[in-house]
Amino acid sequence: MWFKNAQIYSLQLTDEQKALLRDDTKFEEILKQKAFRPCQAQEVATIGFAPLFGRQAEAMSFSHGPHHFVRLLEETKLLPASVIKAELDEEIAAKEENLGRELQKNEIQTLKTAVTAKLMERAFSAQRDMLVFIDSDKGYAVVSVSSAKRAEHAIAMLREAFSGSFPARHFQPRCVVEDRMTSWIEKNELPQIFALGFDATLKSTDSEGATVRVSKEDLQSEEILGHIKAGKVITEMQLIFEDSASFVLTSDLVLKRLRPEDQYLEQNLPESVDDAVADMQSILLVQADLMDNIVDALVRTFECE
């Protein structure tokens, strides 16, 4: 139930949408209309809403005031191109031997379609889930993935659930994020709310596009400054936020490897009780408060719209 990554979207919800989010019964109804179902024989992928707490409870959502959580489940058929090619090559060879001639291009394409359909029925499936957190008061949503494509799948499902309207877009900073992060090191201007971690990615701004990744390094070392003087900018940087959480911040304002600090959890996470759902709800509420603080900090730091 922990957000290990975060794609952040700003929201402009209508009063009607806010009211729907706070009406547990109606919110559950619209989520169940888009519930997850497994892939059928010829489907490559499916996605839908799933019970938030897994087998522990049937509820699709959990809300506490303006904080709302849902879970999406994706299923994808695993059918590598190499497997299709190997099967197709065998089919082509057998067909050409039987006909005594080479197959034409359109015949090969028809055969490929048939082979793919046959393999699809036997293909293994993989399931992955995504948590979504919505703060209807502050007007933002968080999807617990680092992939922009997967996050968009989640937002698309929310649009479907809300009858085609869920006004979400990625945060729009009014500054160049990589330039600002680079200046934190180059000019020693790191905001007080952050402390430096030990990992970073630097990329050259010239046509060569050279990339340097450092891990467990002093980010204020001469080596890092040397890369910056050579024309590289920081595109990813590990930060520690107010002794509460560490994460890698990207130039797209995506959070990767998000992890609450032990001290923060000791101070804010209630003791475990003999109720699995209640414990998971406590974890979500702690994350909601933490995410509110992080998002507020990002908005101020990068002048986000």
Side-chain angles (χ1 to χ4, degrees), residues 48-187:
F49 296 98
L52 179 60
F53 303 110
R55 298 178 181 178
Q56 303 293 335
E58 295 181 358
M60 296 284 212
S61 64
F62 170 61
S63 296
H64 185 268
H67 295 158
H68 315 278
F69 293 88
V70 298
R71 173 174 168 254
L72 284 143
L73 193 59
E74 298 175 292
E75 183 170 278
T76 306
K77 290 284 186 69
L78 303 178
L79 187 55
S82 58
V83 174
I84 297 175
K85 184 179 184 303
E87 184 77 11
L88 179 60
D89 288 346
E90 288 185 14
E91 293 284 345
I92 291 172
K95 198 80 170 177
E96 289 180 340
E97 183 178 353
N98 185 48
L99 295 173
R101 64 173 176 83
E102 290 187 0
L103 294 182
Q104 297 180 4
K105 187 175 182 179
N106 64 325
E107 292 175 312
I108 292 175
Q109 185 57 48
T110 300
L111 195 57
K112 182 179 181 180
T113 300
V115 166
T116 302
K118 180 177 70 174
L119 292 174
M120 191 70 72
E121 294 180 358
R122 308 198 306 262
F124 289 106
S125 296
Q127 292 186 354
R128 298 182 294 177
D129 63 359
M130 292 184 283
L131 286 174
V132 180
F133 166 54
I134 300 168
D135 188 314
S136 55
D137 272 1
K138 292 181 178 291
Y140 76 90
V142 177
V143 185
S144 65
V145 293
S146 60
S147 163
K149 183 177 180 180
R150 290 189 66 207
E152 284 298 327
H153 289 168
I155 296 299
M157 286 303 301
L158 284 164
R159 289 196 181 103
E160 288 189 28
F162 280 83
S163 302
S165 176
F166 190 75
R169 63 173 183 169
H170 274 106
F171 266 10
Q172 302 294 313
R174 293 190 178 92
C175 65
V176 180
V177 175
E178 55 260 42
D179 287 351
R180 186 153 295 186
M181 290 196 297
T182 303
S183 73
W184 292 350
I185 301 299
E186 185 178 26
K187 300 178 182 178

Side-chain angles (χ1 to χ4, degrees), residues 203-219:
K203 289 187 178 180
S204 177
T205 56
D206 60 26
S207 58
E208 296 291 329
T211 300
V212 174
R213 292 181 175 86
V214 296
S215 179
K216 299 180 181 179
E217 282 278 354
D218 177 1
L219 299 187

Side-chain angles (χ1 to χ4, degrees), residues 14-32:
T14 64
D15 289 341
E16 182 180 359
Q17 288 172 325
K18 291 179 181 179
L20 179 55
L21 282 167
R22 296 184 183 188
D23 187 323
D24 291 343
T25 302
K26 289 183 179 179
F27 192 29
E28 285 286 313
E29 287 176 359
I30 68 169
L31 295 177
K32 287 178 179 177

